[in-house]
Amino acid sequence: AAVVEHTFNVGNLTISRLGHSQVITAVNGQFPGPKVEARDGDTVVVHVVNNSPYNITIHWHGILQRLSGWADGPSMVSQCPIRPGGAAYTYRFNITGQEGTLWWHAHVSFLRATVHGALLIRPGPDKPHYPFPTPHGEATLLFGEWWNASVVDVERQAMLAGGAPNNSIALTINGMTGGHELAVRHGETYLLRLINAALNYQLFFKVAGHDFTVVAADACYTDPYDTDVIVLAPGQTVDALMRADASPGLYYMVAQVYQSLANATYTATTTALLRYEHDDATAEEATAAGTSMIVMPTMPAFNDSETAQGFYGSLTGLLPDGKPTVPLHVDTRMLVTYGLGVMPCSPTQTLCNRTRGSVAASMNNVSFQLPTTMSLLEAHRRGNVDGVYTRDFPDRPPVMFNFTSAAASTNRSVMLTSKGTKVKTLRFNTTVEVVLQNTAILGAENHPLHLHGFNFYVLSQGVGNFDARVAVRSYNLVNPQQRNTVAVPAGGWAVIRFTADNPGVWVMHCHLDAHLPFGLAMAFEVDDGPTPDSVLPPPPPDYPQC
Ligand code: C2O
């Protein structure tokens, strides 16, 4: 195993997109930031130096962080931020039994819009091969969003007004609003590593004239799944094989917004080009084929939930050695409702419409507040959590109601929402099953829920109100997909299961960035285990203090 070492210098970068020059926060003057490439079993060491004007933390999205919770990165959950003015913190973690495509991003305010990059894990020396034929080449496509404005200002404005942030003005592919190209050779197979780093939008992705075989999602291998469209929620990744078997020429690769809200109107699209190298064609043939036309794929409608859910629901996990791995015994069962609602404007929300109120989001009617004096993990470690968090996150919503009918639920559930920093404590190595139920208070929306520190099995998903008696028949306990981010259907539910075998404090939250400051989050606290190799070590010496 090797040590993969990087220095991330976070600072201002002036770049120009769509004819507009904008100062952004970026790592090492690059947008997207540097690619981190490692193999399973390696140790990753990243020295982050903050020369930007903002507080910074970096999260390694999807990395399991076994016994290294101090390096997880969410601001005020696993650490206090790294202060501006040259403060530094070194993130150090091992890659333990993970392969595939992940990414890293800032985990404070909206800065992840520009502070992000790919994190690729190739098979390690013990098992050097992919569980599919070795591709001839690979390409990383990282999707993002672009504002002609400072993203910190965009967030501040939304919070003061208590409403949704201004939409981005464009989608990006590898940081570009157009013009990105991928060259392929006829007859070869490519591994596409797709990352949705957009702040607030799910995406459909297609390549004209080409189909895919999905082989992994969130760096968990899947059974090969053939499709001509890939769907990614913010935070999610997909590894897909694409065979370059079309006639030589130019093909559009298109990423387009998928919107689950019935009345949504945002429909951004962005393109890149797939270009065949013409090794076998004569110059005349190549010119004729390459310039005659560019082929555009037929995209789903921007609100095509059937296609989105069809994709999300079709993936199954590739069994290691053909054996099921889902834990069958469940120690803790939870039903967690979540969604957007409204609360009275707070005095600091100076631009908030007092009659309408402020958008608030909650899980089991608790709107999550980050602590201010020390991180949740530090308080957990000290054993004295007073004033930082409480251990009363409820296992169920305070009242059962018709979750997916706005009319039936509005008043009661909204009135009961309160703010708090509540965690759910889990004993080491116990298994928890969580039914995630979307509520329709401000309209049913597909929220991608991301869990830190674990991959979970997605046993089943469906629309409407969760009904255990019916749903249990649909559980896949043999080869369910594993993920770190599940796009729970709009007005529906998903059932996830995981074993709490990693001590620390792990946040679960909506990966639509706008919903995090509104409170769509909770955290699990996992006790240390009984043996020395199941105890969280002490924090590193340079661990930031608040
Ligand atoms: Cu990719 Cu808590 O986030």
Side-chain angles (χ1 to χ4, degrees):
V3 176
V4 174
E5 196 161 0
H6 286 264
T7 298
F8 279 14
N9 190 349
V10 189
N12 281 346
L13 171 69
T14 305
I15 60 171
S16 168
R17 291 290 180 277
L18 305 166
H20 172 94
S21 165
Q22 180 66 45
V23 180
I24 64 168
T25 307
V27 170
N28 298 353
Q30 299 169 33
F31 175 64
K35 210 180 252 186
V36 175
E37 297 179 79
R39 296 200 294 170
D40 183 26
D42 285 354
T43 299
V44 176
V45 178
V46 183
H47 312 284
V48 177
V49 184
N50 185 9
N51 286 304
S52 84
Y54 306 114
N55 284 335
I56 287 291
T57 71
I58 304 286
H59 169 52
W60 316 90
H61 181 114
I63 292 285
L64 296 175
Q65 299 290 5
R66 291 200 158 261
L67 304 179
S68 57
W70 308 108
D72 192 37
S75 180
M76 299 315 295
V77 176
S78 72
Q79 66 169 100
C80 300
I82 310 169
R83 299 289 173 200
Y89 179 46
T90 296
Y91 293 85
R92 185 184 298 269
F93 53 88
N94 299 324
I95 297 176
T96 51
Q98 293 194 273
E99 295 175 15
T101 302
L102 293 172
W103 60 302
W104 56 265
H105 62 78
H107 209 302
V108 55
S109 71
F110 267 22
L111 285 168
R112 92 163 202 246
T114 57
V115 179
H116 62 235
L119 200 175
L120 312 182
I121 311 170
R122 303 208 165 79
D126 311 345
K127 256 203 205 169
H129 299 293
Y130 293 118
F132 46 84
T134 306
H136 297 94
E138 63 168 57
T140 304
L141 296 177
L142 194 150
F143 306 108
E145 291 183 77
W146 179 260
W147 282 261
N148 277 346
S150 142
V151 290
V152 173
D153 291 346
V154 170
E155 180 183 27
R156 195 173 288 145
Q157 168 73 27
M159 291 308 122
L160 288 175
N166 291 335
N167 277 323
S168 55
I169 64 159
L171 297 177
T172 56
I173 298 185
N174 290 348
M176 320 248 297
T177 47
H180 186 73
E181 276 199 19
L182 175 63
V184 294
R185 286 167 190 255
H186 188 83
E188 299 199 332
T189 298
Y190 296 84
L191 178 63
L192 300 185
R193 299 173 173 278
L194 308 172
I195 301 166
N196 187 350
L199 281 197
N200 296 320
Y201 287 103
Q202 306 195 40
L203 300 172
F204 291 122
F205 176 72
K206 286 183 90 167
V207 179
H210 295 76
D211 291 337
F212 313 105
T213 302
V214 173
V215 291
D218 296 358
C220 297
Y221 288 122
T222 61
D223 288 314
Y225 173 67
D226 295 329
T227 177
D228 67 345
V229 60
I230 287 172
V231 193
L232 298 133
Q236 293 183 329
T237 66
V238 165
D239 289 4
L241 297 171
M242 184 187 73
R243 204 170 141 78
D245 55 4
S247 36
L250 280 170
Y251 297 85
Y252 272 119
M253 305 192 279
V254 179
Q256 175 204 287
V257 157
Y258 155 53
Q259 284 255 47
S260 59
L261 260 182
N263 57 358
T265 53
Y266 186 65
T267 59
T269 294
T270 189
T271 61
L273 283 175
L274 183 77
R275 177 189 293 279
Y276 276 75
E277 291 176 1
H278 304 292
D279 316 273
D280 305 315
T282 65
E284 291 79 10
E285 283 166 356
T287 311
T291 56
S292 55
M293 61 168 159
I294 309 180
V295 187
M296 194 71 187
T298 311
M299 297 305 290
F302 73 94
N303 58 358
D304 184 350
S305 289
E306 204 178 307
T307 294
Q309 227 43 59
F311 178 86
Y312 291 139
S314 294
L315 300 178
T316 48
L318 186 72
L319 298 180
D321 315 315
K323 289 193 202 79
T325 55
V326 189
L328 297 179
H329 174 80
V330 176
D331 300 289
T332 303
R333 288 180 198 275
M334 299 170 73
L335 169 64
V336 177
T337 56
Y338 67 90
L340 298 181
V342 275
M343 271 192 187
C345 301
S346 77
T348 55
Q349 290 182 300
T350 49
L351 304 176
C352 188
N353 176 329
R354 307 274 144 191
T355 338
R356 182 208 60 187
S358 167
V359 174
S362 60
M363 300 186 83
N364 277 350
N365 286 29
V366 185
S367 189
F368 189 75
Q369 303 292 298
L370 289 169
T372 52
T373 54
M374 80 173 73
S375 71
L376 300 178
L377 186 58
E378 187 172 0
H380 162 82
R381 182 66 189 201
R382 289 187 181 195
N384 178 1
V385 303
D386 291 356
V388 182
Y389 65 86
T390 54
R391 294 189 164 112
D392 53 348
F393 184 83
D395 287 353
R396 333 217 115 241
V399 285
M400 298 303 260
F401 57 97
N402 183 346
F403 305 117
T404 54
S405 146
S409 63
T410 303
N411 293 326
R412 293 173 83 190
S413 54
V414 167
M415 274 162 34
L416 289 165
T417 299
S418 62
K419 297 188 180 192
T421 309
K422 297 179 190 288
V423 311
K424 170 71 185 174
T425 303
L426 301 172
R427 298 270 96 86
F428 180 77
N429 240 347
T430 57
T431 294
V432 54
E433 180 176 294
V434 188
V435 177
L436 299 163
Q437 172 74 56
N438 181 206
T439 58
I441 292 158
L442 281 193
E445 193 177 358
N446 175 322
H447 297 268
L449 289 178
H450 170 51
L451 175 62
H452 286 226
F454 304 92
N455 289 321
F456 48 76
Y457 295 93
V458 184
L459 302 184
S460 186
Q461 344 186 15
V463 293
N465 293 303
F466 177 78
D467 177 343
R469 289 158 306 178
V470 180
V472 75
R473 287 183 228 138
S474 68
Y475 284 19
N476 179 351
L477 296 172
V478 178
N479 64 344
Q481 58 181 306
Q482 282 189 273
R483 301 208 74 132
N484 62 54
T485 305
V486 61
V488 183
W493 49 269
V495 182
I496 65 169
R497 194 181 282 188
F498 65 97
T499 299
D501 54 4
N502 193 10
V505 179
W506 310 102
V507 66
M508 178 163 73
H509 64 88
C510 180
H511 217 280
L512 305 179
D513 228 30
H515 295 173
L516 193 45
F518 289 133
L520 217 170
M522 57 79 69
F524 291 103
E525 170 187 54
V526 180
D527 288 345
D528 282 338
T531 55
D533 63 355
S534 58
V535 171
L536 179 69
D542 59 345
Y543 183 63
Q545 293 297 308
C546 289

